[in-house]
PDB file of all heavy atoms in Angstrom:
ATOM      1  N   LEU A1822       7.595 -14.756 -42.419  1.00 92.00           N
ATOM      2  CA  LEU A1822       9.037 -14.553 -42.439  1.00 92.00           C
ATOM      3  C   LEU A1822       9.429 -13.904 -41.118  1.00 92.00           C
ATOM      4  O   LEU A1822       8.957 -12.813 -40.798  1.00 92.00           O
ATOM      5  CB  LEU A1822       9.456 -13.654 -43.605  1.00 92.00           C
ATOM      6  CG  LEU A1822       9.373 -14.264 -45.002  1.00 92.00           C
ATOM      7  CD1 LEU A1822       9.739 -13.221 -46.052  1.00 92.00           C
ATOM      8  CD2 LEU A1822      10.321 -15.453 -45.113  1.00 92.00           C
ATOM      9  N   GLY A1823      10.277 -14.598 -40.339  1.00 92.00           N
ATOM     10  CA  GLY A1823      10.632 -14.021 -39.058  1.00 92.00           C
ATOM     11  C   GLY A1823      11.783 -14.739 -38.414  1.00 92.00           C
ATOM     12  O   GLY A1823      12.323 -15.734 -38.939  1.00 92.00           O
ATOM     13  N   ASN A1824      12.152 -14.238 -37.251  1.00 89.00           N
ATOM     14  CA  ASN A1824      13.205 -14.853 -36.448  1.00 89.00           C
ATOM     15  C   ASN A1824      12.539 -15.690 -35.371  1.00 89.00           C
ATOM     16  O   ASN A1824      11.785 -15.161 -34.544  1.00 89.00           O
ATOM     17  CB  ASN A1824      14.087 -13.766 -35.828  1.00 89.00           C
ATOM     18  CG  ASN A1824      15.244 -14.338 -35.045  1.00 89.00           C
ATOM     19  OD1 ASN A1824      15.086 -14.700 -33.886  1.00 89.00           O
ATOM     20  ND2 ASN A1824      16.408 -14.425 -35.678  1.00 89.00           N
ATOM     21  N   GLY A1825      12.796 -17.012 -35.366  1.00 88.00           N
ATOM     22  CA  GLY A1825      12.093 -17.930 -34.478  1.00 88.00           C
ATOM     23  C   GLY A1825      12.304 -17.594 -33.016  1.00 88.00           C
ATOM     24  O   GLY A1825      11.338 -17.568 -32.229  1.00 88.00           O
ATOM     25  N   GLU A1826      13.552 -17.325 -32.617  1.00 86.00           N
ATOM     26  CA  GLU A1826      13.829 -17.048 -31.219  1.00 86.00           C
ATOM     27  C   GLU A1826      13.177 -15.752 -30.753  1.00 86.00           C
ATOM     28  O   GLU A1826      12.660 -15.670 -29.641  1.00 86.00           O
ATOM     29  CB  GLU A1826      15.342 -16.994 -30.988  1.00 86.00           C
ATOM     30  CG  GLU A1826      16.049 -18.323 -31.148  1.00 86.00           C
ATOM     31  CD  GLU A1826      15.493 -19.362 -30.187  1.00 86.00           C
ATOM     32  OE1 GLU A1826      15.228 -19.012 -29.015  1.00 86.00           O
ATOM     33  OE2 GLU A1826      15.308 -20.524 -30.614  1.00 86.00           O
ATOM     34  N   ALA A1827      13.200 -14.746 -31.630  1.00 86.00           N
ATOM     35  CA  ALA A1827      12.585 -13.474 -31.256  1.00 86.00           C
ATOM     36  C   ALA A1827      11.078 -13.610 -31.119  1.00 86.00           C
ATOM     37  O   ALA A1827      10.468 -13.109 -30.158  1.00 86.00           O
ATOM     38  CB  ALA A1827      12.933 -12.398 -32.285  1.00 86.00           C
ATOM     39  N   LEU A1828      10.444 -14.344 -32.057  1.00 90.00           N
ATOM     40  CA  LEU A1828       9.003 -14.534 -31.968  1.00 90.00           C
ATOM     41  C   LEU A1828       8.630 -15.425 -30.786  1.00 90.00           C
ATOM     42  O   LEU A1828       7.587 -15.225 -30.154  1.00 90.00           O
ATOM     43  CB  LEU A1828       8.481 -15.133 -33.275  1.00 90.00           C
ATOM     44  CG  LEU A1828       8.576 -14.209 -34.506  1.00 90.00           C
ATOM     45  CD1 LEU A1828       8.094 -14.920 -35.761  1.00 90.00           C
ATOM     46  CD2 LEU A1828       7.760 -12.926 -34.292  1.00 90.00           C
ATOM     47  N   ARG A1829       9.471 -16.375 -30.468  1.00 88.00           N
ATOM     48  CA  ARG A1829       9.218 -17.210 -29.285  1.00 88.00           C
ATOM     49  C   ARG A1829       9.249 -16.329 -28.015  1.00 88.00           C
ATOM     50  O   ARG A1829       8.449 -16.515 -27.100  1.00 88.00           O
ATOM     51  CB  ARG A1829      10.261 -18.320 -29.183  1.00 88.00           C
ATOM     52  CG  ARG A1829       9.992 -19.311 -28.030  1.00 88.00           C
ATOM     53  CD  ARG A1829      11.131 -20.316 -27.942  1.00 88.00           C
ATOM     54  NE  ARG A1829      11.231 -21.103 -29.153  1.00 88.00           N
ATOM     55  CZ  ARG A1829      10.517 -22.215 -29.382  1.00 88.00           C
ATOM     56  NH1 ARG A1829       9.653 -22.650 -28.480  1.00 88.00           N
ATOM     57  NH2 ARG A1829      10.684 -22.880 -30.500  1.00 88.00           N
ATOM     58  N   GLN A1830      10.182 -15.362 -28.005  1.00 85.00           N
ATOM     59  CA  GLN A1830      10.252 -14.466 -26.857  1.00 85.00           C
ATOM     60  C   GLN A1830       8.984 -13.638 -26.734  1.00 85.00           C
ATOM     61  O   GLN A1830       8.487 -13.396 -25.629  1.00 85.00           O
ATOM     62  CB  GLN A1830      11.465 -13.542 -26.978  1.00 85.00           C
ATOM     63  CG  GLN A1830      11.693 -12.644 -25.775  1.00 85.00           C
ATOM     64  CD  GLN A1830      12.928 -11.785 -25.917  1.00 85.00           C
ATOM     65  OE1 GLN A1830      13.621 -11.853 -26.927  1.00 85.00           O
ATOM     66  NE2 GLN A1830      13.229 -11.000 -24.899  1.00 85.00           N
ATOM     67  N   VAL A1831       8.415 -13.211 -27.877  1.00 89.00           N
ATOM     68  CA  VAL A1831       7.155 -12.473 -27.851  1.00 89.00           C
ATOM     69  C   VAL A1831       6.059 -13.316 -27.234  1.00 89.00           C
ATOM     70  O   VAL A1831       5.325 -12.880 -26.327  1.00 89.00           O
ATOM     71  CB  VAL A1831       6.767 -12.015 -29.271  1.00 89.00           C
ATOM     72  CG1 VAL A1831       5.369 -11.386 -29.270  1.00 89.00           C
ATOM     73  CG2 VAL A1831       7.770 -11.022 -29.828  1.00 89.00           C
ATOM     74  N   LEU A1832       5.933 -14.571 -27.689  1.00 90.00           N
ATOM     75  CA  LEU A1832       4.885 -15.448 -27.179  1.00 90.00           C
ATOM     76  C   LEU A1832       5.101 -15.782 -25.707  1.00 90.00           C
ATOM     77  O   LEU A1832       4.156 -15.836 -24.914  1.00 90.00           O
ATOM     78  CB  LEU A1832       4.835 -16.721 -28.022  1.00 90.00           C
ATOM     79  CG  LEU A1832       4.424 -16.514 -29.495  1.00 90.00           C
ATOM     80  CD1 LEU A1832       4.637 -17.795 -30.300  1.00 90.00           C
ATOM     81  CD2 LEU A1832       2.974 -16.075 -29.579  1.00 90.00           C
ATOM     82  N   MET A1833       6.362 -15.995 -25.301  1.00 86.00           N
ATOM     83  CA  MET A1833       6.675 -16.256 -23.901  1.00 86.00           C
ATOM     84  C   MET A1833       6.243 -15.077 -23.026  1.00 86.00           C
ATOM     85  O   MET A1833       5.665 -15.261 -21.949  1.00 86.00           O
ATOM     86  CB  MET A1833       8.172 -16.496 -23.735  1.00 86.00           C
ATOM     87  CG  MET A1833       8.632 -17.871 -24.170  1.00 86.00           C
ATOM     88  SD  MET A1833       8.218 -19.094 -22.918  1.00 86.00           S
ATOM     89  CE  MET A1833       9.136 -20.514 -23.564  1.00 86.00           C
TER      90      MET A1833
END
Side-chain angles (χ1 to χ4, degrees):
L1822 288 177
N1824 183 277
E1826 292 301 319
L1828 293 177
R1829 185 184 298 275
Q1830 185 178 0
V1831 173
L1832 295 170
M1833 283 283 190

